[in-house]
Amino acid sequence: MNQIDPDQVQVILATDCGSTTTKAILIQKLEGVYRQTHRGEAPTTVEEPFADVTMGVINSVTEVEELSGRKLVDESGRIIQPASGDEGCDIYISTSSAGGGLQMMVAGVVAEMTAASAKRAALGAGAIVMDVISANDKRKPHEQINRIRELRPDMILVSGGTDGGNTTQVVQIAELIAPAKPQPRFGKEFTMPLIYAGNKDAAPLIEKVFDESIDLSIVPNLRPKMEMENLGPARDMIHDMFLEHVMAHAPGYDKLMGWTDAPIMPTPAAVGNILQRIAKDKKINVVGVDIGGATTDVFSVFDKTFNRTVSANLGMSYSISNVCAESGMENILRWVHFDMDERELRNRVKNKMIRPTTIPQSKEALIFEQAVAREALRLAYIQHKEFATTLKGVQQQRTVGDTFSQEAGGQTIVDNMKLNLLVASGGVLSHAPRMHQTALLLVDAFEPEGVTHLAKDSIFMMPHLGVLAEVHTKAAVEVFEKDCLIYLGTCVAAKGLGKPDKLCFTFTLRGDTLNESGEMNFGDIRLLPLGPEETATITCEPSRNFDLGAGPGKKIEQEVRGGTVGLILDARGRPLRLPVDRPACQKAIAKWVDAIGLYPEPEEALV
Amino acid sequence: MKHSRVSPLRLLFLLALVSSLASATHGQEADDGVVSSPPRPPSNLRAVDYPMDKGEKIDLTWDLSLDDPENVSTYLVYRSRTDKEIEKKIADDRKKFIDAVKTAATEGLFGEGWKDRMADLTQEQLTHVREVRSRAAERAETTFSSDPTSEDNVYKFLGTAMPGENEFVIDKLDGKKSYTFMVKAVGTDLSQSAGVVTEVGLTPVLQWFDGEWNTSGGRFWLSIIILVFCGAVVFWILRARSGKPIRVRKIAGLEAVDEAVGRATEMGRPILFVPGIQDMNDIQTIAAMTILSHISKTAAEYDAKIEVPTARSLVMTTARETVQASYLTAGKPDAYNQDLIYYVTDEQFGFVAYLSGMMVREKPAACFYMGAFYAESLILAETGNHVGAIQIAGTAMPAQLPFFVAACDYTLIGEEFFAASAYLSGSPEELGSLKGQDVGKIIVVFLMFIGITLFTLAALTSANPGLSSIFRNMGDFLKNVILT
């Protein structure tokens, strides 16, 4: 890979090879600022008959080339580097989730401890975790061996025991994997990569257990002490293995790896990377969500701790039936403000599952799809909260004052009150007909508390920027701020519950374009116009039972940012509780839909 | 000191006086020249067994004296004595008479205040006093006489009823004895009518239910409280059985059991379980065994080593049985090692010394202190903390709780400790029972609140005696009748 001087970089080309499409973006330095200028898209060509991922890359880059008028591919079909005049680019980078991305199996001694740490390492590295094997997973050894045989992961991560701790059960886990002889997904002739990140004392014993059919790599323990998690070395090794084994064996990737200026990253790892970078630079807490057809990824950075979860069965097309089954049709329908025939809805769900690329053709279909999305996002976020926890098995420090308030370890670190930025991506969110719909989808599903900025990834650019951040942080951050995120606005929501129509909070807004004050009663939601790039100072005084971030009943004063939607004042309470009675629920939803202007009637055509 | 001697004449006079006292009845007639006009007696005295009592009450009713109310100041109520009571009364009277005679004889010898001068008497004088008293006693013994069939001996005075009242409840009767009753009217000049007596004896009968609701000692309110308590327990058990979920507050200490065992597993160190220092007859030790069962099952599942040193041999035996059963339930009977559950010593500090040493040497990753603990609590908890173990304690000893809370990661406090069984098992019966007991506790708290409010109001309204007494009476009723 070429040595890059960040100050000399003028043109950056980035691609993301997805399962179905390969997306290319062009970033150029304009008037001293990096901006995303053009975008191209082409079908991914990793499968037969092409079986060469670079073909899709070249096609998408060619589209960018045509749109920008800049020559990026030479006659031999290679990306031109470095840039000179109207030709080529200084940096070329790529991510990949083709062929289902990186699929891993992880193992540890105790499911909630070393196995959970191993899972966090794998998910953080952008993998999909197919299964977690542990000593206490209630399965008999033969069942575990069977399961390992059934799975065809790209690689395996084994952990277990603190340094100087348990060796017996760590070796026992290895002894389950060795005879199972797991086969890699790609390239049967290649050996299965296995990363050992457990008790260092057990490493020599682990080496003895595996023969040459396993490519064993030993990295420092990801849980050297119970009080400490060290995921970095394991994650780095996963990336290396991803390139060496998975990518190298996928069609065309060996060629693509030769073109890029930074290692190809799994797409989710790149998304996580840019979110972490932004959270660190701006000192904020961020939650990002990417809702796809089969899975929903949730990323969070709270107090510098990054977590990612993949809800494998929550999606808007292939997994839509599962969303309905898991949530229940009545829970989905509570978001719909008119009567719908449940039978017809079920047919609609199945149709979406077998024809995943269809999009809603009527307002009713759109409203229903967005109702399903709310539930999918809500469930995915619940799973994320359960996973993103403090470490378990850690000694607690108490005082006598804790007599009646002893909290168990392993509490979630996700705190909506601390959340500063909520970023949406994925078809149903990014391509909603109105941004208002995206904003309220996020508010309903994630229930942000206090003051939270809402944004969406305009063209799912985060993966590109995640890799770019590795080689040119400044460019990545600038593009993220200016072109990647479309700010929808800010949500100001009170935590707590009260009686309907009783005062929730009062507000006063002072800004260049918006000066307003008023009262919000419990159950109300209101949208105030505050355009992109506009800011205002809001002063809110909640009533006794409500909290806006400073504590129950305490006043807050904060700057809010406008967006394409505006400023949402949410006095519906947290946790958000919809009326159980169906007509009352419909009435409440209808009121909220009207208040935000989600589904306005189309204006009559002028004749 | 000079002592006067009693003349024989004076002694005779005293004896006569005491004798007349002994034979006197309470119905002595008025003298000093006042003419007595006793009222006519009440009539038709009826005795019936008191309904719904515990067999010690009888209801008396009578027709009022024809002189009521003009010449009746009160009614005197009597009951018959049993033979033993008569014997006892006569014996008591005899003793009193003899004592009086002895005292009179001594006073005749030394005058009043002789007791104070006893210390100053010479040996000779003391001998003389003893002889005088002995002779007086002998004389009184022969003089005393009492007729067992006399009214005074046969009937015992119980109480009075006001004019116009014609009923009286007699309590504290023996349910195995038969009684007759007598009522007399007392005139305004304190003269007494002849007594009216019930014709046949009556024995109070033990009823199936002591249902008095407005007097102390009844079982009416107790039965209501029991019904509510048991009803709540039964209701919640049935509700739990019907499949409706029962929400029980999360108890961090019990939730953390898996975490503590997991830590021990990951660190490859043992788990230490100390079941207190009391024997198996202590309820806390029994509760500890319930928790040990759960912990050892988890340890068996995780393949962790659990060590249980005990201070009582019986506790060791029970713990062995408990842990063995848990390993069997977990499907790992072969992993059970009874040598890890052993007896150390009955001596409190010998036991603690052993445990502290063991903890420092073996550095267990998880320590459980469940049961009755005394002064050793802080020593154990601090040692455990020092070796870096996750510590979970549970005890109902209030004095030890602050130490455990400060030095342990989690502490089960009193009730939580006893609720652990239901919490851990999750069985509908146990959870329902737990919930039902909670309802009972809520009722108790509610009644305490009512009582405190009533007495506070009584104190606050002391300027208005009428209102204050209403609150006080209500409070007294709650305290003395409902809750007694």
Side-chain angles (χ1 to χ4, degrees), chain B residues 71-397:
Chain B
N71 189 26
V72 173
S73 63
T74 187
Y75 291 100
L76 304 175
V77 182
Y78 301 83
R79 73 156 170 84
S80 61
R81 286 194 172 93
T82 60
D83 292 344
K84 274 192 180 171
E85 283 177 324
I86 292 171
E87 278 174 24
K88 186 171 179 298
K89 181 177 183 300
I90 292 172
D92 289 347
D93 287 348
R94 175 182 286 115
K95 188 172 179 299
K96 279 181 200 161
F97 176 71
I98 292 168
D99 286 347
V101 171
K102 282 160 74 178
T103 304
T106 317
E107 279 180 356
L109 203 59
F110 295 104
E112 285 185 9
W114 58 273
K115 278 185 184 169
D116 300 335
R117 297 199 295 273
M118 287 293 279
D120 302 330
L121 298 182
T122 61
Q123 194 58 41
E124 192 182 337
Q125 285 171 321
L126 282 172
T127 311
H128 181 61
V129 169
R130 281 192 207 103
E131 281 172 7
V132 169
R133 287 177 65 85
S134 173
R135 280 200 299 274
E138 282 170 17
R139 279 197 297 276
E141 190 77 44
T142 52
T143 314
F144 179 80
S145 70
S146 182
D147 180 7
T149 59
S150 71
E151 187 180 286
D152 180 48
N153 281 334
V154 170
Y155 286 100
K156 181 183 179 185
F157 173 69
L158 297 176
T160 59
M162 299 305 288
E165 287 182 4
N166 67 339
E167 56 186 28
F168 192 90
V169 178
I170 301 161
D171 61 2
K172 295 180 184 167
L173 298 173
D174 187 343
K176 292 171 188 164
K177 305 278 179 353
S178 174
Y179 296 93
T180 58
F181 302 92
M182 181 171 77
V183 177
K184 287 179 179 176
V186 180
T188 50
D189 58 356
L190 301 182
S191 60
Q192 294 181 4
S193 70
V196 55
V197 180
T198 50
E199 289 175 1
V200 289
L202 183 67
T203 304
V205 180
L206 177 68
Q207 309 290 332
W208 70 272
F209 177 58
D210 180 6
E212 283 188 272
W213 68 272
N214 58 353
T215 54
S216 165
R219 295 289 179 268
F220 175 78
W221 291 107
L222 183 65
S223 66
I224 295 287
I225 290 168
I226 287 172
L227 272 178
V228 171
F229 273 56
C230 297
V233 171
V234 170
F235 169 79
W236 284 104
I237 287 176
L238 292 176
R239 191 181 152 91
R241 277 188 188 162
S242 72
K244 287 187 180 159
I246 286 190
R247 189 188 161 276
V248 179
R249 175 175 65 84
K250 282 206 168 191
I251 300 175
L254 296 175
E255 292 287 312
V257 166
D258 288 2
E259 199 180 332
V261 177
R263 178 184 169 90
T265 311
E266 292 283 9
M267 295 176 81
R269 294 194 200 158
I271 298 159
L272 175 70
F273 186 96
V274 186
I277 60 163
Q278 291 296 296
D279 217 328
M280 278 315 297
N281 57 353
D282 192 300
I283 186 71
Q284 295 185 64
T285 315
I286 296 169
M289 289 299 127
T290 312
I291 298 172
L292 173 62
S293 166
H294 176 76
I295 294 170
S296 53
K297 182 167 171 277
T298 312
E301 284 166 355
Y302 282 57
D303 255 345
K305 190 172 95 173
I306 183 163
E307 205 163 333
V308 188
T310 66
R312 297 282 188 276
S313 54
L314 267 181
V315 177
M316 178 193 77
T317 313
T318 315
R320 280 184 173 177
E321 295 285 332
T322 306
V323 175
Q324 189 174 22
S326 296
Y327 271 76
L328 201 60
T329 312
K332 297 188 176 172
D334 51 319
Y336 167 66
N337 179 2
Q338 72 165 14
D339 293 342
L340 292 174
I341 302 153
Y342 49 89
Y343 166 78
V344 180
T345 171
D346 275 37
E347 289 299 321
Q348 182 187 16
F349 286 102
F351 183 62
V352 179
Y354 167 78
L355 282 179
S356 301
M358 189 268 264
M359 283 156 86
V360 171
R361 283 190 305 276
E362 294 189 18
K363 291 191 171 45
C367 296
F368 294 89
Y369 312 112
M370 301 281 170
F373 289 90
Y374 294 86
E376 68 282 359
S377 63
L378 190 58
I379 303 173
L380 293 177
E382 275 299 326
T383 312
N385 192 299
H386 179 71
V387 301
I390 277 195
Q391 302 194 98
I392 303 177
T395 187
M397 309 294 280

Side-chain angles (χ1 to χ4, degrees), chain A residues 38-49:
Chain A
H38 299 93
R39 179 178 186 271
E41 201 171 296
T44 297
T45 52
V46 75
E47 306 283 347
E48 295 289 350

